[in-house]
Each structure stands twice: as structure tokens, then as C-alpha cells.
Amino acid sequence: MATGHSYPKDLVSFIFERWQDPAFVERLCPSHSDCGFQLPERSVLEQVISTCYQASLMREEERPVMFRLIIRDSHLFPAEEGPPTGMHRLIFSRLRPFNEYELHRLAPAADFYRTLIGITLPPNDGAQIWGLLHSGTRWMHAVYGGRKTSPPLPVCLVVYVTGAGQISVCIGSEIIASLNGGQINCPSLDVFNSQWIAKSLAMVHSETLELHHKARQESGRVWANLDPDFGSYLGQQAVRRIISVIRNSHHGGLLVYLPEEMTAEILKENRYMSIKYQFLEFESRQRFRTLTLKVMNTMAEIHGDPADPDKVVGWQDYVTSKNDSIALLDEAIFDVAHFIAALSAVDGAVVISKRQELLGFGGVISGDLDSVGMVAHALDTEGARTEPVLSEGVGTRHRAAYRLCQRLHEAIAIVISQDESVQIVKWHNGAVTYWDQVPTGVPGF
């Protein structure tokens, strides 16, 4: 990889182009006129990104240099706050020079997952380091999956350096662009928020909600009303956690979600796949759905108020809940997610029904299924815009997922590569289609 500044300059140009996109700015800061944020001058931002790039090429005792930095004056952070609900500001007795050598020295102390390096941009003096900002680790829950909330990052520039030539630039928590292997990438949209996934799982969520309503009637007490989308949010967070655990293991994996009506067929000899390690049909196989229902019932029960029988509770009430029962159930859900992720370490697919029923692992997709020469790469969340891509450039897991989804149109496959990239595969609009779920450059994103 070249050590010049061409990559950083290209990245800066891309950032300025994105900042000219009204749709992006509106999503980032709806009240843009009152937002108070402006990009630094191009030359200043080039200095910051170039210095981060040079620091990324250095090594710390044979380990890659990793750090996060935030460009915001220290006095704008309250002195009395700290994790897990705030930011802990620690100011150096004097400003430190902002260069690759200082970043290299500070990186081990500024743990990537807990601390940011604070940067100020005084007029005419260039960037300087004012101290450290301890954020804690809750910021990772939004992408790893989890209910714990983190203090929102202010609308300012945040830079992530995760390895040699790997840089991501954000405004607040919104990734603008990533540089990885000389390639500039714009972050993908979140496929889990798509309408097609919601439609694919609508019957399952409806069934769970019906069981909840039955429990509500049988309780004989006043329960709060649940947001109809609450169960789907819960399932989404669990899947995020499964994916993130597999990604962080660096061994890759394949998750296959099949329609509920195929459960009996797929566990017998069939033309689609063989599952080496199958689970018997006991309640334990359905533990995720059982826990989801318990969370829904508990949330409605603890928030029930006879004086307000129409009260509605939802995801935000869940993530801010201090209730011990909710905390235990939340922990149980993510223990299941970690268990499922661990099963992917065995060669083959982890097979799950769309009711989140764990059918088995070590699933081998039949080689007799027709190969797929061309697939569609989705360029937006709903797959309305696509580009044709030859399938020959991907690995065995991807090609197996393509074959299965070409034959089983209701199946959803999630392919996690050893390089941590994630594809979601589905038969969509008459073709095998894949979405890149995770932008490159930032671990866990």
C-alpha cells in the first residue's frame, strides 16, 4: 500500500461531496440551520485524516494501531459526567502535538472500545490533542445488539482507525465513509429495517403477538399495551448479536432461516440440505421464542396501570428498564444468541426456522442444486436498485447460499466471511439478491 497522502485526500473529497447531499445532511441533523456543525476547512481535515492514516501504518509491539478520536473542544463536555450514561472528560495539563508519533504513543492508553482521543482545531494553529474522553462500551450495543443505551455522540467529527490503512469517518454516530485497502466505501443501509424482512417475518411476529394477547387476557390484571413492533425489534437485536459474535471470531459462518412449514421436511432426507447435528423437538429448541414472549408479557405486566389502561410501552421503555426480571430475561436472550453463534464454528450452516426455532447445525447445502452464475447486488435497502455481479469471485459459503436461495425462494441466508464482511441473501424480484449489511472499516459495524 502506498504511504503517500493520495488515499486520505480522496477520502476527504468524498466526505465533502457527501456533505453537499441534502438528504444525508437532513438525516444527520434534521434542524440543520440550528445544528451548528460545519466541516473544518479542507486543508485542516486533510491534515487530520492524513495523520491518522500515517499512524495506522505504524505498529505497537507487533499489534495494529487502533484508536478513536473526536474533534470537539474539551469545554463542550460536562466535567461531572461519566460512563455508562455520560462521557468522562480528562484534560491534559498542556496541549499535545497532533502527529502520528503522538497518536502511536497514546493509542495503547486510549482503549479503542472505551476511550476517544480529544482533538481541538484552534484557528491558525492546526490540530492539537487536549486529552482523553472515556465513553465506556455501551456505544457498541447499537450494532452488536443489546438493550443498553449509550450517551449519544454530539454532532461532530469522529475518526476510527482500526488497522493499516483502515479509517472510518463519522459525524456523531453516522458513518460518512470508510477507507479500507485503498477503497473508499459508503456505509450500507441497515437491511434489518427493510420492509421485505418485515413482510417475510410478519406471520411469525403476528403469532407471537397473539400468544401475548392470550396471556394478557388470562392474567386477569391490567397490563400495558405493547407496541406491535416490539417483538420484531427484540428479534432483530438478537440476530445482530449472533452476527457480531461470529464476525469477531474471525472464522466466518452461515445462518440459514427457513419457513416454518419446511421444518419437518428439512430434518428428513431431502434434496436441499443435510443437517449433521439435529436437535429433537423439545421446548429447548424454541427457547428464543419462549424468552421473547416472556419479555413481552413481563414488560406489559410491570408497566400496567389501572389509572391508565391505554398506556403503550415499546422498545425505548425496554432499553431503559431497571427491572430485575427484564435484566435477567435480556441476559438469557443474548446467552442464546452467543450459543447459536458458537455453533457456526463447525463447518456447515446453522439452520433456524423463521420462528427462531433452532433446528441444527453442520448443515451441508446440496451440491446437486443448480449453480448460480449471476446474482444481483442490492444498492438500496429494499433492493429496488441492483447491479449484476458474477458469483465466481466469492467463497464456498456464498455460492452454497446462492444455490439454496435460488431453489427455496422463502429462505434467507446470512453469510459471514472470515474478513468480517456480511451478506444477506434472498430470492428477490426474480433473482438471487444479496445485500452488504455491514460497512467496512470499523469493527462491529
Side-chain angles (χ1 to χ4, degrees):
M1 181 178 291
T3 57
H5 291 187
S6 57
Y7 292 152
K9 284 185 177 181
D10 291 341
L11 182 59
V12 169
S13 295
F14 187 87
I15 290 168
F16 271 87
E17 287 175 11
R18 288 213 73 189
W19 190 244
Q20 300 304 313
D21 180 356
F24 171 76
V25 176
E26 178 67 22
R27 185 173 72 252
L28 176 73
C29 189
S31 302
H32 184 227
S33 59
D34 303 322
C35 191
F37 173 79
Q38 291 295 330
L39 289 174
E41 292 183 8
R42 184 182 291 265
S43 60
V44 174
L45 187 55
E46 282 183 1
Q47 177 213 356
V48 171
I49 301 300
S50 178
T51 301
C52 289
Y53 181 82
Q54 296 302 322
S56 79
L57 301 178
M58 304 172 79
R59 304 285 291 182
E60 173 59 37
E61 295 182 353
E62 300 308 312
R63 296 188 300 269
V65 173
M66 293 176 59
F67 58 85
R68 294 184 293 155
L69 63 82
I70 186 166
I71 303 175
R72 195 172 194 245
D73 289 343
S74 59
H75 72 270
L76 296 175
F77 295 98
E80 68 280 0
E81 293 186 355
T85 58
M87 300 283 195
H88 182 196
R89 182 196 71 183
L90 291 161
I91 305 174
F92 293 150
S93 58
R94 61 182 178 87
L95 294 173
R96 305 294 303 179
F98 180 75
N99 57 50
E100 59 266 38
Y101 305 106
E102 196 73 13
L103 290 174
H104 177 258
R105 282 190 289 267
L106 278 174
D111 180 81
F112 179 88
Y113 298 100
R114 289 178 168 82
T115 305
L116 299 100
I117 299 172
I119 306 298
T120 184
L121 302 176
N124 306 318
D125 288 336
Q128 293 180 293
I129 299 172
W130 57 256
L132 302 177
L133 191 68
H134 185 205
S135 67
T137 59
R138 283 192 176 186
W139 65 276
M140 296 185 290
H141 280 257
V143 284
Y144 285 170
R147 72 183 186 92
K148 294 179 181 177
T149 55
S150 62
L153 284 172
V155 181
C156 61
L157 279 173
V158 181
V159 181
Y160 301 78
V161 172
T162 58
Q166 295 180 327
I167 300 173
S168 290
V169 181
C170 306
I171 297 179
S173 300
E174 181 86 13
I175 298 179
I176 312 175
S178 295
L179 176 66
N180 196 341
Q183 298 293 318
I184 295 175
N185 302 284
C186 179
S188 63
L189 298 173
D190 191 347
V191 183
F192 287 110
N193 291 330
S194 67
Q195 291 298 314
W196 69 263
I197 280 189
K199 183 178 179 181
S200 178
L201 301 176
M203 185 176 296
V204 178
H205 295 316
S206 176
E207 180 184 292
T208 308
L209 197 58
E210 186 177 330
L211 291 171
H212 165 69
H213 289 318
K214 182 180 179 182
R216 176 194 180 100
Q217 292 170 356
E218 293 174 350
S219 72
R221 296 187 297 273
V222 175
W223 283 12
N225 298 291
L226 274 186
D227 179 341
D229 293 328
F230 178 79
S232 63
Y233 288 141
L234 198 61
Q236 179 186 121
Q237 293 302 313
V239 176
R240 288 183 193 274
R241 177 60 62 89
I242 294 169
I243 292 172
S244 70
V245 174
I246 297 173
R247 291 182 70 233
N248 291 339
S249 70
H250 304 293
H251 58 60
L254 173 60
L255 306 173
V256 172
Y257 288 85
L258 297 174
E260 173 60 24
E261 59 270 18
M262 282 198 65
T263 297
E265 180 182 3
I266 210 69
L267 293 176
K268 298 177 182 177
E269 186 173 342
N270 63 84
R271 53 189 154 167
Y272 309 114
M273 68 161 58
S274 60
I275 304 175
K276 185 173 183 179
Y277 302 100
Q278 299 183 14
F279 295 117
L280 294 175
E281 190 177 358
F282 294 121
E283 175 63 24
S284 56
R285 203 169 74 176
Q286 305 178 47
R287 180 164 173 74
F288 180 80
R289 192 179 75 149
T290 301
L291 290 171
T292 298
L293 185 59
K294 284 183 178 179
V295 169
M296 294 169 68
N297 293 346
T298 304
M299 281 292 295
E301 182 177 7
I302 64 176
H303 287 281
D305 183 358
D308 186 10
D310 296 326
K311 182 179 181 180
V312 178
V313 294
W315 182 252
Q316 192 58 35
D317 299 287
Y318 177 67
V319 299
T320 57
S321 177
K322 307 297 183 183
N323 183 272
D324 289 342
S325 297
I326 290 296
L328 284 172
L329 287 167
D330 181 69
E331 184 178 350
I333 284 175
F334 289 111
D335 276 342
V336 174
H338 278 261
F339 172 71
I340 292 173
L343 300 179
S344 70
V346 173
D347 288 342
V350 179
V351 185
I352 307 169
S353 80
K354 290 185 180 180
R355 292 175 67 199
Q356 293 286 5
E357 186 176 1
L358 183 58
L359 304 181
F361 62 104
V364 179
I365 296 171
S366 173
D368 293 335
L369 298 178
D370 292 341
S371 60
V372 182
M374 192 77 70
V375 294
H377 177 202
L379 302 177
D380 58 44
T381 302
E382 301 301 336
R385 296 184 298 113
T386 62
E387 61 179 2
V389 176
L390 285 170
S391 65
E392 60 188 22
V394 296
T396 304
R397 287 193 189 98
H398 294 80
R399 293 195 298 272
Y402 298 162
R403 294 199 310 272
L404 184 68
C405 290
Q406 179 175 249
R407 189 65 183 83
L408 297 179
H409 292 180
E410 296 305 313
I412 299 174
I414 302 177
V415 189
I416 303 97
S417 302
Q418 290 182 346
D419 65 1
E420 302 184 15
S421 63
V422 179
Q423 281 189 10
I424 296 179
V425 185
K426 175 80 169 66
W427 179 267
H428 187 75
N429 290 340
V432 175
T433 305
Y434 74 85
W435 288 257
D436 290 316
Q437 167 61 11
V438 183
T440 57
V442 181
F445 282 75

